[in-house]
């Protein structure tokens, strides 16, 4: 029998890719395609679902070609995806009724305030673990129903389907309308205890249940693929941050991973019981493997980290490629008194302030572009510190090690700053593509390609680590200044009654 592989499709915020993994969890082949970022108005962010699907088909075929691998050698397909991004399409034609509304989009801000009413952003938190925020998919569905001509009527007649991007990709692959618990948990519509759509929340948001996919576990066979991988089982779905948690083998309560990309997402395994956050974090569904008990997590979502480096490159022209930010930051010894809080579309955890907007503060004539580059890297670290402090308080466990992954972890200076700011060890694994790896692991478990989680743990290997090297007094002084900068971002957007 020829060598078998697992294919992981990662439908991300800026690109789609397919990575093929072998039994040791090593990358055999990869292909990636970017898609257009559509900005119809300030604060609005959209994607073209059909462009994304075309790219998914391309990366699957190209990953096979690059690896000289035949479709018959693919044992299963795993899906991981940008979460909360919302698409509704015609059940018969398969054509989207509107561009997908991306997780970063803030157009539902007014609707969020209306839904909160006298109870505020915690109105549904006891049911779904989430605060009312523009981030989540439920309000985006409501916006589409209210603003696309005739869509509400079509939804009530059962003519259209909703999905986050996992559902869209699975539907295109198999014709099945399903999602997994990790993605369903990011809609604000799933009951965290029952793992089913919550009728009371659906009624409050005025969303018909007929358009929603069936909720399934994160690791089971949803259907057989069509197209280039015809007959291959589609056997896992995990939202990208949940997939990274799984790929980092954070299988024990207290295990924490941070994924550093466009935004940064810190997720802590809290075991089989949900932990209610008192410090601005999200209580979320970590993953559910087949018939096993669901595993819950605390999550701190940071909207802008890698996107700040892209902004320095694309909008300010301080650098020509993203990796140059490290070189530029190394031309100075510190931030020169400059702090950047990149609240481009408000602040996520632990603040949840949609009225915030970005600031660059502490400027003097001394500050140069090297200081600005360093302040941009430090912004990622200080935002991480705020989330980790909240996690320690909620979980009653002190962080000892942060497992990191994502594109920004190639920046060694950033990793050292992160260790200094957190006063803890930072570890990067051999396979940094842990989002795809987690989706592959879940699919492999579903079909018996890997026998158990201990086998997955044995695949994890450390590639690099950083230890803190900052005086405590300096750490706390800089944190104090960072908090002052954050305070300056609040109340920038004033809402009229």
């Amino acid at each position: 029998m020829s060598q078998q592989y697992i294919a992981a499709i990662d439908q991300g915020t800026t690109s789609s890719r397919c990575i093929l993994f072998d039994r040791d969890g090593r990358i055999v082949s990869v292909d990636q395609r970017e898609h257009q970022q559509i900005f119809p108005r300030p604060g609005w962010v959209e994607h073209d679902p059909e462009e994304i699907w075309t790219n998914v088909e391309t990366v699957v075929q190209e990953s096979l070609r690059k690896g000289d691998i035949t479709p018959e050698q693919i044992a299963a397909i795993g899906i991981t995806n940008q979460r909360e991004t919302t698409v509704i399409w015609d059940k018969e034609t398969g054509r989207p009724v509107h561009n997908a509304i991306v997780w970063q989009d803030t157009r539902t801000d007014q609707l969020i305030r209306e839904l909160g009413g006298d109870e505020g952003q915690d109105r549904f938190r006891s049911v779904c673990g989430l605060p009312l925020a523009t981030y989540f998919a439920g309000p985006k569905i409501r916006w589409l129903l209210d603003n696309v001509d005739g869509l509400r009527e079509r939804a009530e007649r059962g003519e259209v389907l909703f999905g986050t991007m996992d559902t869209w990709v699975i539907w295109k692959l198999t014709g099945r309308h399903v999602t997994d618990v990790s993605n369903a948990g990011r809609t604000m519509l799933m009951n965290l205890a029952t793992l089913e759509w919550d009728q009371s929340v659906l009624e409050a948001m005025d969303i018909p249940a007929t358009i929603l996919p069936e909720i399934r576990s994160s690791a089971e066979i949803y259907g057989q693929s069509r197209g280039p991988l015809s007959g291959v089982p589609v056997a896992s779905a995990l939202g990208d941050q949940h997939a990274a948690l799984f790929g980092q083998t954070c299988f024990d309560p207290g295990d924490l991973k941070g994924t550093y990309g466009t935004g940064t997402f810190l997720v802590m395994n809290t075991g089989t019981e949900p932990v209610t956050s008192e410090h601005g974090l999200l209580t979320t569904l970590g993953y559910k493997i087949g018939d096993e008990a669901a595993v819950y997590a605390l999550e701190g979502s940071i909207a802008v980290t890698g996107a700040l480096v892209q902004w320095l490159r694309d909008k300010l022209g301080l650098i020509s490629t993203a990796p140059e930010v490290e070189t530029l930051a190394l031309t100075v010894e510190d931030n020169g008194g400059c702090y950047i809080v990149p609240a481009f579309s408000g602040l996520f955890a632990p603040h949840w302030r949609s009225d915030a907007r970005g600031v660059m503060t502490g400027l003097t004539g001394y500050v140069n572009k090297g200081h600005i580059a360093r302040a941009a890297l430090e912004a990622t670290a200080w935002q991480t510190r705020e989330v980790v402090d909240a996690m320690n308080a909620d979980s009653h466990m002190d962080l000892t090690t942060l497992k990191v992954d994502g594109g920004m972890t190639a920046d060694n200076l950033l990793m050292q700053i992160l260790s200094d700011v957190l006063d803890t060890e930072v570890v990067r694994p051999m396979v940094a593509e842990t989002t795809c790896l987690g989706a592959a692991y879940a699919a492999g478990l579903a079909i018996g390609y890997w026998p158990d989680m201990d086998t997955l743990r044995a695949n994890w290997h450390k590639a690099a680590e950083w230890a803190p090297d900052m005086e405590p007094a300096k750490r706390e002084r800089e944190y104090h200044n960072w908090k002052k900068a954050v305070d300056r971002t609040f109340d920038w957007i004033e809402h009229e009654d």
Side-chain angles (χ1 to χ4, degrees):
M1 182 179 173
S2 61
Q3 174 72 45
Q4 294 283 293
Y5 305 96
I6 303 290
I9 296 171
D10 178 3
Q11 201 302 289
T13 304
T14 58
S15 68
S16 301
R17 58 186 172 166
C18 181
I19 300 182
L20 307 184
F21 293 93
D22 65 14
R23 290 187 191 276
D24 294 325
R26 292 181 300 208
I27 294 173
V28 175
S29 181
V30 59
D31 193 63
Q32 185 167 350
R33 294 285 187 279
E34 291 190 358
H35 55 262
Q36 183 184 8
Q37 305 296 308
I38 303 166
F39 303 101
R41 299 185 192 177
W44 290 29
V45 190
E46 296 179 358
H47 293 157
D48 178 352
E50 294 194 287
E51 178 194 6
I52 285 174
W53 172 244
T54 298
N55 288 352
V56 167
E57 288 187 301
T58 300
V59 298
V60 168
Q61 293 177 72
E62 282 298 296
S63 65
L64 291 172
R65 185 189 64 79
K66 287 179 177 179
D68 194 23
I69 292 166
T70 66
E72 292 73 27
Q73 291 178 271
I74 304 302
I77 302 166
I79 309 292
T80 182
N81 57 287
Q82 55 167 323
R83 303 169 303 168
E84 299 94 17
T85 295
T86 297
V87 59
I88 295 178
W89 64 93
D90 185 287
K91 183 189 292 186
E92 295 301 321
T93 68
R95 293 188 64 83
V97 302
H98 189 277
N99 279 337
I101 301 180
V102 180
W103 58 272
Q104 301 152 312
D105 189 285
T106 60
R107 75 186 66 187
T108 57
D109 190 34
Q110 176 64 33
L111 174 60
I112 289 298
R113 292 195 302 279
E114 292 172 5
L115 287 170
D118 294 336
E119 296 173 74
Q121 66 177 192
D122 289 336
R123 178 180 177 186
F124 304 120
R125 190 189 281 269
S126 63
V127 174
C128 65
L130 310 174
L132 269 165
T134 59
Y135 186 16
F136 304 109
K140 299 181 198 299
I141 300 171
R142 167 67 182 274
W143 188 93
L144 287 165
L145 294 174
D146 289 348
N147 288 277
V148 176
D149 286 346
L151 183 57
R152 179 169 291 281
E153 292 74 21
R154 294 177 66 195
E156 290 170 351
R157 291 195 299 267
E159 296 173 3
V160 296
L161 303 174
F162 151 76
T164 41
M165 297 310 290
D166 61 308
T167 299
W168 171 245
V169 172
I170 292 170
W171 190 83
K172 296 292 280 186
L173 282 170
T174 69
R176 303 290 177 84
H177 187 219
V178 300
T179 189
D180 93 296
V181 288
S182 73
N183 280 292
R186 310 299 294 192
T187 61
M188 294 199 75
L189 306 177
M190 187 187 82
N191 186 303
L192 266 187
T194 66
L195 308 185
E196 296 176 350
W197 302 119
D198 189 272
Q199 193 58 41
S200 65
V201 179
L202 289 175
E203 290 173 2
M205 289 204 195
D206 198 14
I207 294 172
T210 52
I211 69 172
L212 302 177
E214 179 186 357
I215 300 175
R216 307 273 284 272
S217 83
S218 310
E220 61 177 272
I221 296 174
Y222 307 127
Q224 310 298 317
S225 177
R226 305 176 292 199
L229 293 178
S230 179
V232 177
V234 179
S236 77
L238 284 159
D240 51 11
Q241 305 315 318
H242 315 261
L245 184 76
F246 204 73
Q248 286 274 34
T249 66
C250 292
F251 301 149
D252 297 320
D255 286 352
L256 173 66
K257 72 87 199 173
T259 298
Y260 289 81
T262 306
T264 286
F265 301 87
L266 293 116
V267 183
M268 175 185 280
N269 182 325
T270 60
T272 55
E273 295 294 330
V275 173
T276 301
S277 176
E278 304 292 338
H279 298 87
L281 303 177
L282 309 179
T283 303
T284 194
L285 205 296
Y287 54 83
K288 186 178 189 301
I289 303 304
D291 295 330
E292 295 179 13
V295 172
Y296 294 86
L298 282 171
E299 177 174 329
S301 313
I302 304 169
V304 175
T305 51
L308 177 57
V309 175
Q310 293 171 334
W311 182 75
L312 295 182
R313 180 192 66 191
D314 300 338
K315 303 296 187 181
L316 299 190
L318 288 185
I319 52 177
S320 56
T321 64
E324 288 177 26
V325 72
E326 180 179 13
T327 305
L328 184 56
L330 284 168
T331 63
V332 296
E333 294 185 358
D334 55 34
N335 61 22
C338 174
Y339 301 84
I340 302 174
V341 185
F344 292 164
S345 54
L347 288 171
F348 285 4
H351 304 286
W352 298 107
R353 295 289 295 260
S354 61
D355 62 328
R357 287 298 179 269
V359 302
M360 188 184 302
T361 190
L363 296 180
T364 64
Y366 171 74
V367 171
N368 63 33
K369 59 185 180 180
H371 296 120
I372 292 172
R374 194 167 189 109
L377 295 181
E378 290 178 355
T380 291
W382 290 121
Q383 289 181 104
T384 300
R385 168 72 185 269
E386 289 183 311
V387 170
V388 168
D389 282 357
M391 283 185 168
N392 289 342
D394 278 334
S395 67
H396 307 292
M397 293 182 278
D398 289 333
L399 176 68
T400 57
T401 301
L402 174 64
K403 291 182 173 181
V404 297
D405 54 74
M408 291 188 84
T409 63
D411 187 322
N412 292 322
L413 175 60
L414 173 60
M415 294 299 98
Q416 184 59 55
I417 293 171
L418 196 55
S419 181
D420 288 341
V421 160
L422 297 177
D423 192 25
T424 195
E425 181 186 43
V426 172
V427 179
R428 185 175 67 205
M430 289 291 289
V431 178
E433 303 297 347
T434 53
T435 302
C436 279
L437 184 59
Y441 278 167
L445 286 176
I447 66 160
Y449 183 85
W450 288 291
D452 51 40
M453 288 187 173
D454 286 340
T455 305
L456 306 183
R457 283 191 178 96
N459 280 348
W460 193 94
H461 299 288
K462 182 188 300 185
E465 61 183 320
W466 292 264
D469 184 25
M470 179 184 276
E471 291 294 328
K474 180 181 180 183
R475 180 183 301 114
E476 295 314 307
R477 182 175 67 249
E478 290 294 302
Y479 195 24
H480 173 74
N481 289 341
W482 166 261
K483 288 178 176 178
K484 286 198 298 182
V486 171
D487 287 343
R488 273 37 172 201
T489 71
F490 297 156
D491 299 314
W492 188 259
I493 301 299
E494 296 179 0
H495 301 293
E496 297 179 1
D497 291 335

